[in-house]
Amino acid sequence: MNNNKPHVSIIILNWNGWEDTLECLESLYATNYENYNIIVVDNGSKDDSIEKIKEYCRGNFEIESPFFKYNPHNKPINLIELNKDDIYKTELSSQINTKFSNLYLLKNDKNYGFADGNNIGINFALNNLPTDYLMLLNNDTVVDKNLIVPLLKTAESDPRIGMVGPKIYSYDRPSEIQSVGFSIKWSLGEIVSIGHTEKDEGQYDKVNNVDCVSGCLMLIKKEVIQKMGKFLDHEYFLYYEDMDSCVRTRKLGYEICVVPDSRIWHKTSSTSKKVAQTAGYYTSRNIFIFMKKYSQKNQYYLFIMYYFIYKLWYSIGLNTVYYRDLKAFIPILRGTKDGLAWKK
């Protein structure tokens, strides 16, 4: 491990999704960068995620993927297990075996949501590891072997760059772009994914300054998080917390960039499919929280008009007709009601 290179703490949140998590881990361990540690935060899973992760680390679970061949030679992985309450008081140095890669497994007692689940991993990294950068990575992704180097090269090139993200492709359609960052249309309350569903023909091959990068993968400078305090706002629980963090990063004076030489493939809404009606509630509620926190008064009024004339009915129609979930309108309406009632 070359300590002259920046240290990256990679945080992966797992909730009843060990199959995705293990595929993601195997792709990470094939990357061509060495100075990193992986922190898997298990958010109170009720399946056998913990045992499956242990089995994988022992080298007893062979991962199959269309994106790589399983490597039995980098196992076993040195697994260090911690409970949420242990992360501030446990002396880790005695547990670290430098002959093997270290994977830290933080076991939460319940589901703290995307925001606080990741915040627990961030706090652990800042308090216990020689962290220079923190990477939040969705467990339902597969990463390219050249993932980290281009991200760090761009982030290190300018002190004004506080956060970077990769080019994201669809897992099922590997040449189709899912996102190369986001732009915010404040008067509509729309966060538009740049390049979404486009075939990659080199049209996004330059580093680009954007409003936001996807929470699928965010690489953040340590100083940015230290200035913010808590990086992800737990008020959201699920959805929009990554966009909120991007807005706060830019308000601190930092730029956010997408680095096209860094690539990942993302499975579309693996977690959301497990909790579809929960997703309907939080997406409806959280757009109001986001807009109330950051939009100007005239932008918010225009958003309200757009929401009730078009967006609300589109969401209800999409879920009840296209996805054939006849009860989907209930959490959407409840989320709208709670969003309207939310106060700063």
Side-chain angles (χ1 to χ4, degrees):
M1 185 175 291
N2 187 345
N3 291 324
N4 293 322
K5 296 180 179 179
H7 181 274
V8 181
S9 292
I10 303 172
I11 298 165
I12 301 172
L13 193 64
N14 178 77
W15 180 69
N16 296 329
W18 62 265
E19 299 99 330
D20 290 336
T21 298
L22 297 189
E23 186 179 9
C24 179
L25 286 172
E26 184 67 13
S27 69
L28 273 171
Y29 282 118
T31 54
N32 58 6
Y33 192 80
E34 294 183 342
N35 198 15
Y36 69 90
N37 282 110
I38 299 174
I39 303 157
V40 174
V41 181
D42 184 76
N43 229 0
S45 293
K46 301 301 182 185
D47 63 359
D48 52 354
S49 284
I50 299 295
E51 186 51 46
K52 293 294 185 182
I53 292 170
K54 291 180 183 179
E55 195 174 337
Y56 166 76
C57 289
R58 291 192 292 264
N60 297 332
F61 197 104
E62 185 169 333
I63 308 302
E64 294 183 1
S65 173
F67 290 88
F68 56 77
K69 290 184 178 180
Y70 175 74
N71 181 10
H73 304 296
N74 59 4
K75 316 294 185 304
I77 296 165
N78 191 46
L79 180 66
I80 299 173
E81 295 182 64
L82 295 164
N83 294 318
K84 175 178 174 288
D85 294 336
D86 296 332
I87 65 176
Y88 298 106
K89 62 185 181 183
T90 301
E91 177 56 51
L92 296 176
S93 60
S94 62
Q95 301 182 50
I96 295 175
N97 186 335
T98 56
K99 293 182 180 180
F100 299 104
S101 302
N102 292 302
L103 190 150
Y104 300 96
L105 178 59
L106 307 186
K107 297 177 290 186
N108 287 340
D109 56 324
K110 63 179 182 180
N111 185 357
Y112 286 89
F114 182 86
D116 271 351
N118 275 298
N119 283 334
I120 288 166
I122 290 169
N123 289 335
F124 168 77
L126 293 178
N127 282 281
N128 296 287
L129 299 174
T131 301
D132 298 305
Y133 287 84
L134 290 114
M135 180 189 292
L136 304 188
L137 179 64
N138 272 20
N139 73 320
D140 59 349
T141 59
V142 172
V143 308
D144 183 67
K145 65 179 181 180
N146 193 37
L147 172 74
I148 299 175
V149 173
L151 292 174
L152 288 175
K153 182 179 178 181
T154 298
E156 292 278 281
S157 69
D158 191 333
R160 294 172 298 177
I161 298 175
M163 184 189 301
V164 292
K167 183 186 286 185
I168 303 173
Y169 296 90
S170 168
Y171 182 95
D172 296 322
R173 296 173 296 279
S175 63
E176 181 182 288
I177 295 170
Q178 198 173 93
S179 174
V180 283
F182 295 85
S183 62
I184 303 175
K185 294 185 177 180
W186 288 104
S187 296
L188 301 179
E190 294 279 7
I191 299 174
V192 181
S193 179
I194 302 167
H196 184 61
T197 71
E198 293 182 27
K199 184 178 179 181
D200 189 2
E201 297 178 337
Q203 67 271 44
Y204 299 108
D205 278 359
K206 293 182 179 179
V207 174
N208 189 30
N209 196 317
V210 294
D211 290 336
C212 306
V213 292
S214 171
C216 284
L217 191 156
M218 313 168 99
L219 183 76
I220 314 107
K221 285 179 177 174
K222 177 181 178 179
E223 66 186 66
V224 174
I225 293 178
Q226 289 175 325
K227 288 179 181 178
M228 278 190 192
K230 186 169 284 191
F231 181 65
L232 296 170
D233 186 350
H234 71 275
E235 187 83 44
Y236 293 95
F237 188 79
L238 186 67
Y239 302 119
Y240 285 95
E241 63 283 281
D242 51 348
M243 302 296 121
D244 182 285
S245 296
C246 289
V247 172
R248 286 188 286 134
T249 296
R250 294 182 68 86
K251 283 182 174 293
L252 287 171
Y254 291 98
E255 295 178 359
I256 299 173
C257 295
V258 168
V259 183
D261 288 342
S262 178
R263 304 182 301 164
I264 67 171
W265 290 265
H266 178 226
K267 301 169 187 174
T268 305
S269 303
S270 290
T271 301
S272 299
K273 290 175 183 176
K274 302 174 187 174
V275 286
Q277 292 194 16
T278 302
Y281 171 80
Y282 282 110
T283 52
S284 302
R285 187 197 71 154
N286 289 353
I287 183 56
F288 285 92
I289 296 177
F290 182 78
M291 292 297 291
K292 286 180 178 182
K293 288 180 69 174
Y294 300 117
S295 66
Q296 299 173 9
K297 186 176 290 187
N298 63 322
Q299 292 171 335
Y300 182 74
Y301 290 146
L302 288 169
F303 154 70
I304 288 289
M305 292 173 58
Y306 173 75
Y307 185 86
F308 284 102
I309 291 171
Y310 172 73
K311 191 169 184 176
L312 172 63
W313 306 109
Y314 175 80
S315 297
I316 291 174
L318 182 69
N319 283 276
T320 55
V321 178
Y322 184 78
Y323 293 117
R324 298 181 181 180
D325 185 354
L326 299 180
K327 295 182 179 180
F329 73 93
I330 298 173
I332 292 172
L333 292 176
R334 190 161 54 88
T336 301
K337 175 178 175 290
D338 289 349
L340 281 167
W342 184 86
K343 295 181 179 180
K344 289 185 181 179

